[in-house]
Amino acid sequence: MNNTIHVKNQEMINAFLLFFVIHTIQVGVGIHGFQRVIYQDAKQDAWISVLLVGIATHIIAIIMIKTLEIYGSNDLYGIHQDIFGKWFGNFLNLLYVLYCSTAFFSVLRNYIEVVQTWVFPNLSTWFISATLLLIVIYAFTGGLRVIVGISFFSFVLSIWLLPMLVYPLQFTSARSLLPIMETDIIGILKGAQSMTFTIAGFEILNVIYPFIKDKNKVQKHVHFGLLATTIIYLSVILVSITYFSPEQLNKSIWATLTLFSIVQFPFIERFEYIAVCFWMLVILPNLCLYLWAAYRGSIRLVKVNSTKFIWLFSVVIFMLSISIETRTQINAVNTYFSKVGFYVIFVYPILIYLLAIMKKKYRTRKEQKI
Amino acid sequence: MKKIKLGFIFVVLFVSLVGCAEQKLLEQIGLTTLLGYDLREDDKLSVTAVVRQVNPEFQSNVEVISAENETIRGARTVINRKTSKKIVTGQMRVVLFGEEISKDGIAHNIDTLSKNSETSGGLYVAVVEGETKSLLEYQYQDIEDIGTHIFKLLEQNIKSEQIISSTIHEVAHDYYSPGRDVALPIIKRKEEIVEISGVALFNKDKMVGKLSAENSFYLKLARDFHKAAMFETKIPKESLPASQTQESQEDITVVIDTISTKKKLKLINPDTPEFDMHITVHGRLLEIEANMDMDNPKNVQKLEEEIEKSMSKNLAKILVYCQEVDSDVFGLGEFYRSSVRESNLTYEKWHEMYKDAKVNIKVDFTVLRSGIFE
């Protein structure tokens, strides 16, 4: 087994921090408007879809960890090279780097659009894009430990937004959830599949695994992180289904923000403005972690130092973000990403796991022969 | 060293750019607190805006500006041409529709309001008897800021549950729901005061009927979750035994403050459809126009029965009226959809059934207490 990663002790992170990493990379721009995508297929049973996706993430996480445990201390890029050989393995690595970059771009562009529609309609894309990229560059140069620190603070500083959902509760009627299971199972599953874009992110585990200090505790904290995400999404979708009427939810692009628009305090007239601006803190870990994952893959492909990589990467993303402008284009990017993401996140890990087991068996047999 | 210099330049650049995105200084803008829409004869839209302007040296003043154009936005640009300050709608609290436009249809307006990220979901919507323009432009003696006044009027009555709640969110909710129709409070000018005069009933987006303010209590009772409100009802004089009333009186008026109400709806026959509506009201007897011995449990029971009778009679009347004008403000369709599996309820399908829907009303009323003096 070649390519095993040796990480210096001071570069490692504790396993309990995985809770924040997994949770914060999952919660991002998707939560602003995932409701209607699921609702289109699953109707009032959309919450079942969310629950199913939650369970699916746990299963996939178990498989991912099992695969990684076979290799001890290696990431997905190394596993690719080991299973498929150098050339094809590197081709897959390239695809994975592209996947991470698309995720990064998608998060960035969606957030910019939200800022533009809700708060500053006249603010140009390049300005927000450049500002965000500079922050991300700054965080990235600090290394993984700084990025994980951002995840931690992102969680701690934004968790207070969740109790704000109590406010819309006075306008909800629980009967909207009835009759339960009216949608057939195919509709519910379709809804679950459309949620990929929102739930994506925990595949970062594939890349971050070698950097965990106490690997025996990984499983526990990953599951806690996934559970926290599922609880948040479930509560948001339950409030949304009961708060909106069917057509209304179908027409709301950012249902969560519309939910927030009913929140009023004596000292804040428009709460959703705060929510939108605060969301920068929520998407920051997404951007940093995806960028970092893309970087880890790139250094396997070509010898590149981090400074050169980050500037090149930023310039490309910046150019892309200003070239994609309209709602239709952004929606198209989301849809494609969600479609591809489904296979990358929910199907591919199973395949890799099976191949890894086969390879291991083959190898031990070979060693026994010798 | 070079890196630090570059970093310094960046910091200065970005700090100096902060806040330059889109300035909205309070002194330079006019805050629209209320908008009124009317329909003109030539199909043009007339928009009346109540704009509050804050001046640094004087106290803030309120201006009522109106403009006509084909669209809402178009009218807004015309309004903008009439003021020295930029008009913004971030503080808007109320939207009023004139009677004409309500009868013509307000779908487009609901759509536009829901679409606009600047308007809050907590905005109140109401119908004005007659024209909004004349209501807003009238020079009231005691009302300084008509926009805030109407907002407070609606807010106070909605919070104390005297009238149905009508935030833009709820209006949009009902409008986009196949089994529930919009109901809005009606406002009217009566000499020097503005008052809530009733409830407008809608079919989809068109106003088709109205209920008096007294009846709106019953509508609220049967429509929304309900906590506390005061209501007045009349019971026949003969029904109460041992009462000492004035000879000339025909009915006895009773005033009740509801403490809690519960509504139970049950679909007993999905084909007709037929519903059982069971309403439980616990209340406080505030006033009764008769000398009655409330110590006697028999008297109390008789009184309760009479109130129950009169309440269910009134409720049934309102229901029949709503069916006549084809406006399902009670949300019976919504209930039907959630009770019947695979009903695939559409608006047309439900309103076909709604006409023949039967509702059996049963009211349970309990007097909890009647004050500190017997």
Side-chain angles (χ1 to χ4, degrees):
Chain A
M1 251 175 262
N2 54 2
N3 279 326
T4 308
I5 297 175
H6 297 288
V7 187
K8 280 184 223 134
N9 208 23
Q10 67 261 30
E11 281 175 7
M12 288 216 179
I13 58 166
N14 283 320
F16 83 92
L17 287 167
L18 264 183
F19 169 83
F20 301 103
V21 171
I22 297 289
H23 178 72
T24 52
I25 197 174
Q26 278 189 298
V27 178
V29 279
I31 197 170
H32 279 157
F34 72 106
Q35 295 97 325
R36 95 171 170 156
V37 193
I38 317 170
Y39 195 84
Q40 276 162 0
D41 294 315
K43 299 291 165 218
Q44 73 269 25
D45 293 322
W47 61 276
I48 300 177
S49 302
V50 176
L51 204 63
L52 283 179
V53 175
I55 294 166
T57 55
H58 283 283
I59 296 168
I60 295 297
I62 292 171
I63 293 171
M64 274 183 190
I65 294 169
K66 280 242 155 70
T67 318
L68 289 159
E69 272 169 356
I70 294 174
Y71 282 84
S73 179
N74 209 343
D75 57 9
L76 185 72
Y77 299 117
I79 295 173
H80 276 159
Q81 285 179 345
D82 182 62
I83 294 178
F84 300 106
K86 199 167 178 216
W87 283 104
F88 191 60
N90 269 349
F91 174 68
L92 287 176
N93 284 350
L94 179 70
L95 289 184
Y96 208 80
V97 168
L98 275 178
Y99 165 78
C100 289
S101 314
T102 320
F104 179 98
F105 172 73
S106 191
V107 170
L108 183 79
R109 194 64 193 84
N110 274 292
Y111 180 67
I112 292 172
E113 203 206 358
V114 170
V115 172
Q116 283 172 334
T117 13
W118 282 86
V119 193
F120 300 120
N122 298 328
L123 201 57
S124 46
T125 310
W126 72 263
F127 182 78
I128 315 176
S129 178
T131 321
L132 279 169
L133 280 170
L134 275 175
I135 301 171
V136 172
I137 291 167
Y138 176 57
F140 177 78
T141 46
L144 178 66
R145 285 165 71 104
V146 170
I147 295 173
V148 173
I150 288 172
S151 300
F152 173 78
F153 280 107
S154 159
F155 176 79
V156 172
L157 294 178
S158 62
I159 192 68
W160 62 272
L161 279 163
L162 189 67
M164 290 300 141
L165 287 178
V166 172
Y167 215 97
L169 275 184
Q170 54 178 317
F171 295 104
T172 56
S173 77
R175 281 206 75 89
S176 308
L177 292 170
L178 296 175
I180 293 170
M181 288 293 285
E182 195 183 25
T183 321
D184 53 357
I185 194 76
I186 295 166
I188 292 175
L189 287 176
K190 254 190 191 163
Q193 189 182 351
S194 339
M195 214 187 136
T196 311
F197 176 68
T198 315
I199 207 96
F202 66 102
E203 69 277 10
I204 189 79
L205 193 64
N206 278 328
V207 189
I208 211 169
Y209 186 78
F211 290 83
I212 310 298
K213 209 179 272 173
D214 31 2
K215 295 208 169 49
N216 53 336
K217 285 188 191 150
V218 165
Q219 190 116 35
K220 187 170 102 188
H221 294 291
V222 166
H223 285 306
F224 275 143
L226 293 171
L227 191 67
T229 313
T230 312
I231 289 170
I232 286 180
Y233 283 148
L234 202 59
S235 39
V236 172
I237 191 96
L238 280 173
V239 173
S240 305
I241 297 171
T242 51
Y243 179 83
F244 294 105
S245 60
E247 250 322 273
Q248 205 183 3
L249 189 55
N250 260 342
K251 281 175 181 260
S252 304
I253 308 176
W254 296 284
T256 309
L257 292 174
T258 312
L259 266 182
F260 279 144
S261 84
I262 201 100
V263 180
Q264 259 171 3
F265 294 111
F267 49 94
I268 296 171
E269 175 81 10
R270 309 300 308 283
F271 180 75
E272 73 272 23
Y273 283 19
I274 306 279
V276 168
C277 298
F278 212 85
W279 221 259
M280 200 210 80
L281 209 65
V282 177
I283 63 149
L284 203 55
N286 294 18
L287 295 177
C288 294
L289 285 164
Y290 273 126
L291 171 62
W292 181 79
Y295 169 67
R296 294 296 309 169
S298 304
I299 51 172
R300 297 272 183 156
L301 297 170
V302 278
K303 277 253 172 295
V304 58
N305 69 1
S306 61
T307 330
K308 221 181 248 165
F309 171 79
I310 182 74
W311 284 106
L312 198 72
F313 184 86
S314 301
V315 167
V316 173
I317 291 287
F318 179 76
M319 291 314 226
L320 274 174
S321 72
I322 48 176
S323 60
I324 289 185
E325 270 290 312
T326 63
R327 169 88 216 130
T328 344
Q329 288 169 328
I330 295 167
N331 216 10
V333 171
N334 290 348
T335 318
Y336 284 125
F337 177 72
S338 195
K339 268 185 192 149
V340 175
F342 177 75
Y343 294 101
V344 174
I345 298 166
F346 290 107
V347 181
Y348 189 56
I350 303 172
L351 192 75
I352 279 284
Y353 176 59
L354 295 175
L355 286 171
I357 292 179
M358 268 155 57
K359 181 100 186 177
K360 192 182 160 197
K361 275 205 179 132
Y362 170 75
R363 192 170 285 146
T364 40
R365 205 178 291 160
K366 214 169 158 189
E367 276 164 7
Q368 273 167 0
K369 264 186 191 168
I370 295 163
Chain B
M1 208 48 217
K2 209 180 162 196
K3 250 186 189 170
I4 295 173
K5 239 185 213 167
L6 201 73
F8 184 73
I9 291 169
F10 265 122
V11 167
V12 169
L13 245 160
F14 276 91
V15 167
S16 58
L17 279 173
V18 167
C20 287
E22 252 174 276
Q23 288 185 331
K24 279 179 184 169
L25 292 178
L26 199 57
E27 292 86 31
Q28 291 168 8
I29 52 173
L31 299 168
T32 311
T33 51
L34 186 147
L35 275 185
Y37 298 123
D38 287 311
L39 198 68
R40 288 283 117 110
E41 288 88 30
D42 49 352
D43 253 9
K44 266 195 176 176
L45 198 68
S46 155
V47 178
T48 313
V50 178
V51 180
R52 177 181 266 274
Q53 294 172 340
V54 182
N55 300 327
E57 53 269 29
F58 317 110
Q59 281 192 316
S60 61
N61 67 317
V62 174
E63 224 178 315
V64 180
I65 312 159
S66 71
E68 283 176 33
N69 211 330
E70 312 277 324
T71 60
I72 301 166
R73 291 283 166 158
R76 205 171 124 178
T77 47
V78 177
I79 289 176
N80 244 330
R81 269 184 240 143
K82 292 184 181 176
T83 60
S84 57
K85 293 180 173 181
K86 193 186 171 197
I87 300 291
V88 293
T89 51
Q91 293 271 327
M92 200 154 71
R93 305 296 174 93
V94 183
V95 167
L96 296 177
F97 293 112
E99 221 170 337
E100 281 297 304
I101 195 169
S102 306
K103 281 174 182 158
D104 193 56
I106 54 168
H108 175 68
N109 300 288
I110 295 173
D111 208 50
T112 317
L113 284 169
S114 316
K115 219 178 243 164
N116 190 353
S117 72
E118 267 188 52
T119 57
S120 137
L123 184 92
Y124 288 126
V125 184
V127 171
V128 168
E129 223 177 289
E131 273 201 345
T132 61
K133 195 180 169 194
S134 57
L135 177 111
L136 295 171
E137 282 183 345
Y138 185 79
Q139 295 288 326
Y140 297 92
Q141 274 173 4
D142 303 325
I143 303 169
E144 222 174 279
D145 179 354
I146 182 75
T148 317
H149 180 82
I150 291 177
F151 168 64
K152 290 262 164 76
L153 174 80
L154 285 168
E155 191 193 32
Q156 184 260 111
N157 280 293
I158 288 170
K159 288 255 162 83
S160 64
E161 310 230 17
Q162 296 292 339
I163 201 137
I164 45 148
S165 177
S166 65
T167 58
I168 183 71
H169 161 66
E170 285 162 291
V171 173
H173 179 283
D174 295 349
Y175 171 66
Y176 289 118
S177 165
R180 219 172 122 106
D181 277 315
V182 179
L184 298 177
I186 304 176
I187 291 178
K188 154 180 147 184
R189 180 176 76 83
K190 206 173 176 188
E191 304 300 323
E192 283 298 318
I193 52 166
V194 182
E195 62 167 20
I196 295 175
S197 67
V199 175
L201 308 174
F202 283 74
N203 177 323
K204 198 78 189 161
D205 68 318
K206 289 181 178 62
M207 178 175 159
V208 286
K210 55 171 111 168
L211 289 176
S212 68
E214 288 74 38
N215 281 336
S216 75
F217 166 80
Y218 294 100
L219 175 59
K220 182 129 182 51
L221 194 67
R223 177 181 158 99
D224 297 321
F225 182 69
H226 196 261
K227 270 170 285 178
M230 216 146 61
F231 77 101
E232 202 183 79
T233 184
K234 282 193 169 73
I235 49 177
K237 186 182 170 187
E238 316 82 62
S239 59
L240 284 185
S243 59
Q244 300 168 354
T245 51
Q246 287 158 3
E247 300 256 321
S248 58
Q249 254 182 308
E250 276 185 21
D251 292 322
I252 301 169
T253 313
V254 190
V255 182
I256 280 138
D257 186 19
T258 55
I259 303 289
S260 69
T261 66
K262 244 186 223 152
K263 184 185 84 177
K264 255 193 203 152
L265 204 59
K266 212 166 138 193
L267 182 69
I268 49 173
N269 184 356
D271 302 326
T272 336
E274 190 176 348
F275 298 89
D276 263 349
M277 191 189 272
H278 186 183
I279 294 175
T280 326
V281 185
H282 287 205
R284 204 154 56 116
L285 188 66
L286 287 185
E287 209 180 320
I288 179 161
E289 258 192 332
N291 264 328
M292 232 182 81
D293 182 14
M294 295 296 285
D295 257 353
N296 189 346
K298 259 191 192 161
N299 279 355
V300 177
Q301 205 188 345
K302 187 75 193 155
L303 181 73
E304 284 176 352
E305 271 170 28
E306 285 304 320
I307 292 172
E308 279 165 16
K309 239 191 252 169
S310 113
M311 279 178 87
S312 36
K313 206 176 78 193
N314 279 329
L315 257 172
K317 233 195 270 169
I318 292 168
L319 245 159
V320 169
Y321 176 70
C322 290
Q323 276 177 316
E324 261 170 37
V325 296
D326 199 15
S327 169
D328 180 15
V329 282
F330 299 96
L332 291 176
E334 189 51 44
F335 193 86
Y336 182 87
R337 184 204 61 77
S338 59
S339 309
V340 179
R341 236 162 225 288
E342 270 148 54
S343 54
N344 294 325
L345 202 67
T346 57
Y347 181 81
E348 288 75 25
K349 205 171 151 191
W350 169 242
H351 275 259
E352 196 80 354
M353 291 156 85
Y354 177 62
K355 276 179 224 140
D356 309 312
K358 209 178 148 221
V359 184
N360 310 314
I361 297 165
K362 191 169 171 271
V363 181
D364 262 334
F365 180 77
T366 318
V367 176
L368 287 181
R369 38 190 173 261
S370 59
I372 54 164
F373 191 77
E374 271 181 348

